[in-house]
Amino acid sequence: MAEADGKSSELNGGSEEPDPGEDQRGEGDASTATEEQSDSQAAPKKAEDRAKDKPMPDAEGERVPGEGEEEEDTDSVDGSGLYSLNEEGERDGEGGRRELVKERDAGKRAARKRNRPSGGTAHHSSSSEVEDDEEEEEQEEEDEQAMDVWLGAELRDLGKPSWRAVPSLRLREIGRGSHQFVRRVCGARGLVQRLELQGRLERHTGCVNTLHFNPSGTRLASGSDDLRVVVWDWARRRAELEFDSGHKSNVFQAKFLPHSGDSTLAMCARDGQIRVAELSAMQRCKNTKRVAQHKGAAHKLALEPDSPCCFLSAGEDAVVFGIDLRLDRPAKIYDQRKINENVNNGVLKKFCPSHLVSSESKTNITCLLYSHDGTELLTSYNDEDIYLFDSSYSDGADYCRRYKGHRNNATVKGVNFYGPSSEFVISGSDCGHIYLWDKVSARIVQFMEGDRGGVVNCLEPHPHLPGLATSGLDHDVKLWAPTAENPTGLKGLKDVMKKNKRERDEDTVRHGDQYDTQLLWFLMRHMRNRRSQRTRREGAEGDTDESWSSPDSSDEEDGGPDHVQCMSS
């Protein structure tokens, strides 16, 4: 009992030795209380010195780290793969988390104030300087608390794993559920948390802007700022075919057309051209030809899953081309089934996060795609977050999920689903990392360093295997597979997320200057285009490619691989 009482007294800032007469005193002993009060008044100096030598406990009775001690890293994945900014706060709910953070911050602030040198020490700090320092520290702590609350908001509990390795393997060995085995494996959270770098494909001499597996998953096409396209035998880490795309500026996408025997590639680029490459079985490119021309850069292509000759293209001129290689010209469309231009300008539905509808910030969608069954829409916004919408909701409906932590500002970022049933959301980031969120809970379950150059743009899951390919500012393609012995620990994730958020907030403050810079760039490009059009009218030779082109279309000025490198979105 004496030992236990002594520890309790020490935690409460009292003497290290227990009072021998303590258990003889009652709660109502007034004389004893008077003696204790007089003793404490007679020796305040000793009590103060003892307090300085001990770290203060926080509100939960835990010791605040002093000199020589380190704070425990809160970046962790528990047994179910749950990322938690504050585990106690998760158990106590949102209100409990805020109170706990406040109490801990108050304890740390009190400890720093006690240990700070006074005005009479060698630091010679004036009282006003000390007050300024205290105000600055308090502001930093308030900002840190607000950051933790923001990162932890809109999250849900992570569900139990849907796939267990040993029972699934046992069932496959006896012939039960074998047709579902690969599907369940590819969507397993345990394997996503074991993704690690397998190798690099090196051939390009510029940033790699596009990746696309063929339908069978045996070949991978990549396109680059070097204006070349490479078709890889990715399993053997070798290039099977390399050819000049025919584009005049950065290649943004190159995709195999389905049911074409991997013999046809559709491509788009910054020059606004939509081109098609015909490949032979002898690992060579027969030719490339232009089939459409946008008035601005063309960023995205969308394939029709059952058609070897039809696809869509979208450009900065706000036009969507429906291209059928059997026809003479592309068609402008929004909906191939029905369209009524007299109702809402032909648009069936509009989706936007409610806080961005009336926002003054310049936010643009950099990538949009449907889930595996078409019931959900996933959108990535420029210098904002990633949002999931229910495609069956009415016009103007708000988002269902929000995925935070990454940064989408320096280049045009892609976003993708991962898993055969769209179980996860995956995106690159300006910080050079790859993020994988659990779609339902919006919690990060995997976090990997994906680009030495600092930005990851493209993420292409394999169509049938649990792996993916990524690329960015580096000149190589990176391959990932779930071969790590242990699941991820998400080390350093919280610091990177907070850094991304702070930089975004700082850029928002400077938004006016950024907008002026983009407007100036736009005007200069417009003047150059006008100059090039005038030159062509005076007798310059035009494009002699066999092509489809609207009469009012115009090419951008010629440029090589270094003409425009990864322009900001």
Side-chain angles (χ1 to χ4, degrees), residues 471-486:
S471 66
L473 294 189
D474 290 348
H475 297 174
D476 58 13
V477 178
K478 296 179 178 65
L479 302 173
W480 307 81
T483 57
E485 183 175 352
N486 299 310

Side-chain angles (χ1 to χ4, degrees), residues 191 194-198 466 480-486:
L191 294 189
R194 286 174 167 81
L195 286 171
E196 65 177 355
L197 184 64
Q198 295 297 299
W480 307 81
T483 57
E485 183 175 352
N486 299 310

Side-chain angles (χ1 to χ4, degrees), residues 150 154 351-363 379 381-389 396-404 501 504:
W150 183 83
E154 301 185 69
F351 298 98
C352 183
S354 56
H355 63 280
L356 295 181
V357 173
S358 57
S359 174
E360 296 181 357
S361 60
K362 185 183 179 183
T363 53
T379 60
Y381 285 81
N382 179 51
D383 217 13
E384 242 280 347
D385 297 324
I386 297 170
Y387 297 90
L388 184 74
F389 299 92
D398 205 353
Y399 64 90
C400 303
R401 298 286 187 278
R402 182 176 184 175
Y403 307 98
K404 305 176 183 177
K501 179 64 165 61
R504 182 201 293 179

Side-chain angles (χ1 to χ4, degrees), residues 82 188 303 432 498:
L82 172 64
L303 307 179
K498 290 182 177 181

Side-chain angles (χ1 to χ4, degrees), residues 45-101:
K45 181 70 175 178
K46 293 182 180 180
E48 182 180 357
D49 292 339
R50 286 195 299 270
K52 288 183 178 179
D53 295 334
K54 296 182 177 63
M56 285 292 291
D58 65 5
E60 296 295 323
E62 299 175 2
R63 294 166 64 95
V64 176
E67 291 187 1
E69 299 183 11
E70 295 182 356
E71 292 189 59
E72 184 180 356
D73 187 5
T74 58
D75 291 343
S76 63
V77 176
D78 62 15
S80 63
L82 172 64
Y83 170 69
S84 174
L85 290 174
N86 189 305
E87 294 181 358
E88 293 87 347
E90 289 293 335
R91 291 194 294 268
D92 297 337
E94 191 69 28
R97 178 164 59 242
R98 290 194 183 97
E99 291 299 321
L100 187 58
V101 171

Side-chain angles (χ1 to χ4, degrees), residues 210 221-224 227-230 243-247 250-257 264-279 285 287-292 294 298-301 303 311-313 323:
T210 176
S222 62
S224 170
L227 311 185
R228 300 186 68 78
V229 173
V230 179
F243 62 92
D244 190 340
S245 66
H247 286 287
N250 316 47
V251 177
F252 283 156
Q253 281 206 323
K255 291 189 172 185
F256 292 99
L257 292 184
T264 309
L265 271 173
M267 304 173 292
C268 65
R270 182 176 292 280
D271 58 11
Q273 294 184 26
I274 310 300
R275 302 185 72 89
V276 171
E278 296 182 4
L279 313 180
C285 176
N287 63 74
T288 68
K289 65 178 181 180
R290 188 179 65 176
V291 296
H294 287 272
H299 287 277
K300 298 295 181 182
L301 300 173
L303 307 179
F311 60 96
L312 307 176
S313 70
I323 299 171

